[in-house]
């Protein structure tokens, strides 16, 4: 996976500038008559077969699922629940994906510790949420209590992100691409184990204000209140970020650094500061997402950043890494795929617990995107800038 | 100060202090020596050109002035203050700006955004607006393209935006690195016409060019470097007449 990520930015030009002698040799080799099996473009054949197989499984699975006898079939309300859950989880993934995307846009590097930035925020706010739940403040003033939890989570995530940049990535900025990637994996392990060491390995309950517990009827369709909140918060913050990046001076400086660091400094832009700001914005989003996630699932654990991290990274790549709208779209699609896909595609085959296979879906999508469209859905074949 | 330089400085400016000065500057990339003991002076309101063959160190001279590379020996002074050793951003803040080699616009941003980035460090909004207006008067074609992505402009248009962007910084010294490179002959004429008009506004310009004839025809003075050393420094007229120059740089033109 890492190799593929490092590779797609180089594109097809990697082999230009071969010495002339090599070209001569190639010509001579081509002059030899090829056997039929040497003429077949095996790579393409494999890809096409793979693509057809996946489409076939999806189509047949969907048809079989929808054709199940009444008793085994999911109800309409089931499907609505799957979709609602998918959208709300997708919104959280989108917020995390933005962190990957922004950092990639500006440094051309995958911050593999970003899942832990998310975890650090959620985990740190637990202590406040816990205390407020015990004192009753959480239910007496749910808005204020939740806002404080979000503020604490954002502060913790931003601090983690900035420290990562300062300590792990900045010293390696001129090193080969693989080096900061390895540092990121190391930092991720370090953060996980630090939280395990200080706060224990077991999952810990995260309180949720009671007002967020029930359901809410929109146009006669009942939705979980928490899911509605998640969606609204994510949508608003993504709109705000889009405004920041496209309309403000800070956003302009971020795009300038992403596009040409040297010329950005010729404009008078402080490149280091801009990179810190970018990490900080990723941290803000991770912190907010952390509280939303913790309140949705009502627990936190030191490993909680791993799976959402991978899913969000996949979302960012799927949408087109470096692009904010790409991260949003990718997040929604992955969220839906995770929550609707297993039921829709796999139930018909009689697989006993299709939702256990959801992580496999994520990896499958990641591989397929990297193979078929490395620039992502909204990308242009080459990864897009911020 | 070396002898030919004194001779080269026009009488009108000889008693003034240079706005930009290189004193015994040597620059290395790693162990490779690129500039060797370079002395240069640019006086306020002057247009000075730097000539030299490929890989002679012209771009490196500009990069050294801007602090992208630090001189291993010697100093760069702006208005009499040492600026070598300062970070690029600080040097830009003090009033040096550049039209880089190959234009280097922010291709995914609009022309307007590119121009505004040139004024990134300025806080005097009204003056920035006024300068934007003046730049658009200098480059009427750019006005039509304000909302267009800079990457989609033609080469000539891009060169104009690059010059406009550098002017938006309202610099004390404007550096230009081969503004005519890669442009069709008609456009080269146009670009030099524009440089002449920028110059008429009283800008101090230090321009690197391969197109020696063109550059000398609009400059006051010129320096010629070879493998990182200044080999000639004289007024533009004298350089145009110099037999060595004619042979080495003006020959085929
Ligand atoms: N970043 C660098 N690292 C190592 N060597 C460099 C670097 N940049 C330039 N050089 C070398 O320094 C020498 C001078 O380069 P420079 O770009 O200053 O030349 P130039 O006069 O601008 O040439 P041109 O007319 O082709 O633009 C060249 O030999 C070049 O290979
Ligand atoms: Mg050059």
């Amino acid at each position: 996976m890492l190799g593929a990520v490092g590779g797609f930015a180089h594109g097809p030009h990697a082999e230009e500038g071969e010495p002339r002698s090599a070209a001569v040799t190639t010509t001579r080799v081509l002059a030899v008559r090829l056997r039929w099996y040497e003429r077949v473009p095996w790579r393409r054949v494999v890809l096409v077969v793979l693509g057809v197989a996946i489409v076939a499984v999806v189509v047949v699975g969907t048809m079989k699922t929808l054709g199940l006898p009444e008793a085994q079939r999911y109800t309409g309300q089931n499907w609505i629940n799957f979709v609602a859950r998918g959208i709300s989880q997708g919104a959280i993934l989108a917020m995390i994906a933005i962190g990957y995307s922004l950092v990639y846009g500006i440094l051309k590097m995958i911050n593999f510790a970003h899942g832990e930035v998310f975890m650090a925020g959620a985990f740190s706010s637990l202590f406040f949420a816990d205390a407020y739940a015990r004192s009753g403040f959480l239910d007496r003033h749910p808005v204020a209590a939740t806002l404080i939890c979000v503020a604490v989570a954002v502060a913790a995530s931003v601090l983690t992100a900035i420290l990562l940049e300062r300590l792990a990535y900045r010293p390696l900025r001129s090193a080969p691409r693989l080096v900061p990637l390895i540092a990121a994996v190391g930092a991720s392990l370090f953060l996980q184990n630090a939280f395990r060491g200080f706060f224990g390995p077991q999952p810990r309950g995260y309180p949720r204000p009671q007002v967020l517990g029930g359901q809410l009827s929109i146009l006669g369709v009942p939705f979980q209140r928490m899911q509605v909140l998640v969606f609204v918060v994510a949508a608003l913050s993504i709109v705000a970020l889009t405004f920041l990046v496209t309309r403000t001076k800070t956003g302009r400086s971020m795009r300038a650094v992403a596009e040409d660091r040297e010329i950005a400094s010729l404009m008078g832009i402080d490149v280091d500061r801009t990179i810190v700001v970018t990490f900080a914005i990723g941290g803000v989003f991770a912190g907010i997402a952390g509280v939303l996630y913790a309140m949705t699932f009502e627990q936190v654990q030191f490993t909680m950043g791993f799976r959402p991290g991978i899913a969000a990274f996949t979302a960012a790549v799927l949408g087109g890494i470096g692009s904010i709208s790409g991260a949003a779209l990718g997040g929604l699609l992955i969220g839906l795929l995770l929550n609707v896909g297993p039921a829709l595609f796999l139930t018909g085959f009689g697989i006993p617990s299709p939702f256990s296979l959801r992580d496999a879906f994520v990896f499958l999508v990641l591989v397929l995107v990297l193979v078929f469209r490395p620039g992502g859905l909204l990308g242009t074949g080459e990864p897009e800038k911020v | 100060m070396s002898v030919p330089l004194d001779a080269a400085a026009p009488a009108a400016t000889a008693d003034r202090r240079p706005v930009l000065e290189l004193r015994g500057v040597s620059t290395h990339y790693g162990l490779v020596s690129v500039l060797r003991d370079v002395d240069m002076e640019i006086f306020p309101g002057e247009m000075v050109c730097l000539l030299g063959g490929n890989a002679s160190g012209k771009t490196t001279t500009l990069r050294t002035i801007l602090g992208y590379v630090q001189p291993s020996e010697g100093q760069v002074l702006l208005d009499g203050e040492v600026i070598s050793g300062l970070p690029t951003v600080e040097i830009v803040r003090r009033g040096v700006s550049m039209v880089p080699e190959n234009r280097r616009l922010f291709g995914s941003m609009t022309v307007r955004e590119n121009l505004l980035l040139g004024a990134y460090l300025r806080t005097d909004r009204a003056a920035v607006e006024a300068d934007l207006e003046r730049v658009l008067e200098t480059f009427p074609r750019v006005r039509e393209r304000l909302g267009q992505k800079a990457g989609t402009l033609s080469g000539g248009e891009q060169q104009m935006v690059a010059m406009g962007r550098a002017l938006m910084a309202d610099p004390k010294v404007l550096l230009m690195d081969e503004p005519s490179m890669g442009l069709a002959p008609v456009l080269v004429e146009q670009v030099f016409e524009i440089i002449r008009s920028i110059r008429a506004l009283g800008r101090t310009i230090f321009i690197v060019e391969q197109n020696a004839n063109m550059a000398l025809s609009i400059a006051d003075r010129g320096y010629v470097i070879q493998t990182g050393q200044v080999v000639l420094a004289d007024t533009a007229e004298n350089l145009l007449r110099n037999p060595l120059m004619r042979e080495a740089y003006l020959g085929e033109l």
Side-chain angles (χ1 to χ4, degrees):
Chain A
M1 186 176 70
L2 303 189
V5 172
F8 69 67
H10 297 301
H13 305 298
E15 275 127 45
E16 271 180 10
E18 275 183 37
R20 175 169 289 184
S21 64
V24 172
T25 324
T26 314
T27 323
R28 209 170 292 147
V29 170
L30 282 178
V32 178
R33 261 197 69 209
L34 295 172
R35 316 214 167 210
W36 72 269
Y37 55 81
E38 288 169 326
R39 267 178 281 150
V40 178
W42 287 113
R43 210 179 109 84
R44 278 192 70 107
V45 171
V46 168
L47 289 183
V48 169
V49 168
L50 187 70
V52 169
I54 288 167
V55 170
V57 168
V58 165
V59 170
V60 172
T62 305
M63 277 164 45
K64 285 185 119 167
T65 303
L66 297 179
L68 282 176
E70 192 85 44
Q72 300 167 26
R73 219 187 283 168
Y74 290 108
T75 63
Q77 184 60 44
N78 284 143
W79 289 115
I80 290 176
N81 289 348
F82 291 148
V83 171
R85 208 188 299 154
I87 290 177
S88 113
Q89 255 182 51
I92 291 179
L93 291 180
M95 295 189 76
I96 307 174
I98 277 169
Y100 284 102
S101 232
L102 288 177
V103 166
Y104 183 86
I106 210 154
L107 285 185
K108 302 292 166 284
M109 177 211 129
I110 308 294
N111 177 11
F112 273 111
H114 189 62
E116 277 58 53
V117 172
F118 159 83
M119 178 273 289
F123 217 118
S124 306
S125 68
L126 167 71
F127 304 105
F128 286 72
D130 230 8
Y132 293 154
R134 265 185 268 119
S135 72
F137 181 64
L138 190 68
D139 283 315
R140 258 181 290 123
H141 298 285
V143 176
T146 305
L147 284 180
I148 293 175
C149 288
V150 169
V152 171
V154 164
S157 289
V158 167
L159 186 71
T160 311
I162 290 179
L163 286 178
L164 273 175
E165 195 275 330
R166 260 285 150 74
L167 302 177
Y169 305 147
R170 192 181 297 185
L172 302 175
R173 219 180 271 162
S174 54
R177 293 168 63 101
L178 199 55
V179 177
L181 222 55
I182 294 167
V185 173
S188 160
L189 290 174
F190 169 82
L191 284 167
Q192 282 192 27
N193 285 294
F195 275 81
R196 173 160 77 175
F198 282 112
F199 309 116
Q202 72 285 5
R204 313 208 11 193
Y206 195 103
R208 167 167 79 193
Q210 259 154 24
V211 284
L212 289 176
Q215 288 191 331
L216 187 70
S217 174
I218 298 174
L219 299 173
V221 183
F223 289 100
Q224 301 287 330
R225 285 197 177 152
M226 195 61 217
Q227 290 173 350
V228 177
L229 177 75
V230 167
F231 184 75
V232 170
V233 170
L236 288 181
S237 38
I238 290 172
V239 169
L241 178 67
T242 307
F243 177 82
L244 175 91
V245 169
T246 55
R247 294 290 149 81
T248 67
K249 202 166 172 179
T250 307
R252 215 181 291 146
S253 66
M254 284 166 65
R255 283 180 290 144
V257 173
E259 195 164 335
D260 191 333
R261 219 180 277 173
E262 203 173 270
I263 300 301
S265 64
L266 180 64
M267 302 294 105
I269 296 167
D270 185 335
V271 171
D272 282 340
R273 210 186 123 256
T274 306
I275 291 174
V276 170
V277 167
T278 306
F279 270 85
I281 294 175
V284 169
F285 274 74
I288 300 174
V291 172
L292 294 174
Y293 189 90
M295 284 190 172
T296 299
F297 295 100
E298 295 182 277
Q299 66 172 42
V300 293
Q301 193 181 3
F302 76 98
T303 53
M304 69 183 278
F306 181 68
R307 287 168 59 197
I310 297 278
F313 167 64
T314 305
V317 174
L318 173 64
I321 194 154
S323 134
I324 293 170
S325 42
L329 176 69
L332 277 184
L333 289 179
I334 294 287
L336 284 170
L337 183 74
L338 280 173
N339 288 282
V340 182
L344 187 61
F345 307 147
L346 299 180
T347 316
F349 292 115
I351 292 172
S353 73
F355 280 96
S356 311
L357 285 167
R358 49 197 289 172
D359 286 344
F361 270 55
V362 174
F363 283 109
L364 191 63
V365 169
L366 183 59
V367 171
L368 292 179
V369 174
L370 290 178
V371 168
F372 286 106
R373 200 175 159 82
L377 295 177
L378 300 186
T380 48
E382 223 188 311
E384 199 186 319
K385 302 282 160 62
V386 175
Chain B
M1 217 179 271
S2 59
V3 181
L5 286 184
D6 280 337
T13 56
D15 53 320
R16 276 194 275 168
R17 201 170 62 172
V19 56
L20 182 69
E21 188 178 355
L22 279 75
R23 278 191 199 153
V25 167
S26 297
T27 301
H28 290 77
Y29 284 117
L31 292 176
V32 184
S33 153
V34 179
L35 294 184
R36 267 170 283 169
D37 196 21
V38 168
D39 287 300
M40 290 180 189
E41 291 174 311
I42 290 109
F43 291 90
E46 254 194 322
M47 169 151 175
V48 177
C49 69
L50 174 57
L51 307 170
N54 278 321
S56 52
K58 305 183 296 295
T59 298
T60 304
T61 306
L62 300 188
R63 291 177 62 84
T64 308
I65 294 170
L66 274 164
Y68 284 122
V69 274
Q70 307 296 338
S72 41
E73 266 169 73
Q75 292 174 320
V76 181
L77 294 92
L78 184 72
D79 274 341
E81 285 178 45
V82 178
I83 55 166
S84 39
L86 295 176
T88 302
V89 172
E90 182 55 30
I91 294 173
V92 171
R93 190 192 304 279
R94 290 183 183 209
V96 185
S97 148
M98 176 167 74
V99 182
E101 201 168 10
N102 293 321
R103 309 176 255 287
R104 303 274 287 272
L105 296 179
F106 298 104
S108 65
M109 295 195 217
T110 64
V111 169
R112 172 188 282 279
E113 285 178 317
N114 271 276
L115 292 174
L116 290 178
L117 274 169
Y120 182 81
L121 287 174
R122 295 173 61 185
T123 46
D124 45 344
R125 277 200 161 198
V128 170
E129 281 300 321
D131 275 359
L132 180 60
E133 195 49 44
R134 209 169 312 150
V135 164
L136 295 178
E137 270 161 33
T138 317
F139 310 104
R141 305 222 10 212
V142 171
R143 191 190 294 273
E144 299 160 24
R145 313 252 172 229
L146 273 179
Q148 196 172 323
K149 292 250 154 64
T152 64
L153 298 180
S154 75
E157 291 166 338
Q158 290 196 9
Q159 188 59 56
M160 291 176 201
V161 177
M163 289 199 275
R165 184 176 67 177
L167 283 173
M168 286 299 290
D170 189 22
K172 286 180 187 153
V173 184
L174 179 56
L175 313 179
M176 296 189 181
D177 198 346
E178 305 206 30
S180 73
M181 193 185 351
L183 297 183
V186 197
L187 286 174
V188 173
E189 300 256 353
Q190 243 181 48
V191 164
F192 275 98
E193 200 48 54
I194 286 165
I195 296 172
R196 208 196 301 264
S197 65
I198 292 173
R199 210 235 139 150
L201 298 171
R203 293 276 170 204
T204 308
I205 301 176
F206 187 40
I207 178 174
V208 165
E209 257 303 331
Q210 299 258 12
N211 197 332
N213 255 329
M214 280 284 205
L216 287 173
S217 71
I218 59 171
D220 297 303
R221 290 190 296 123
Y223 292 92
V224 180
I225 58 171
Q226 249 170 36
T227 56
Q229 283 176 304
V230 177
V231 292
L232 272 174
D234 212 333
T235 62
E237 289 164 38
N238 288 346
L239 284 177
L240 276 170
R241 272 191 250 115
N242 188 317
L244 270 172
M245 270 300 288
R246 298 196 70 89
E247 196 180 316
Y249 299 102
L250 307 170
E252 77 279 9
L253 293 165

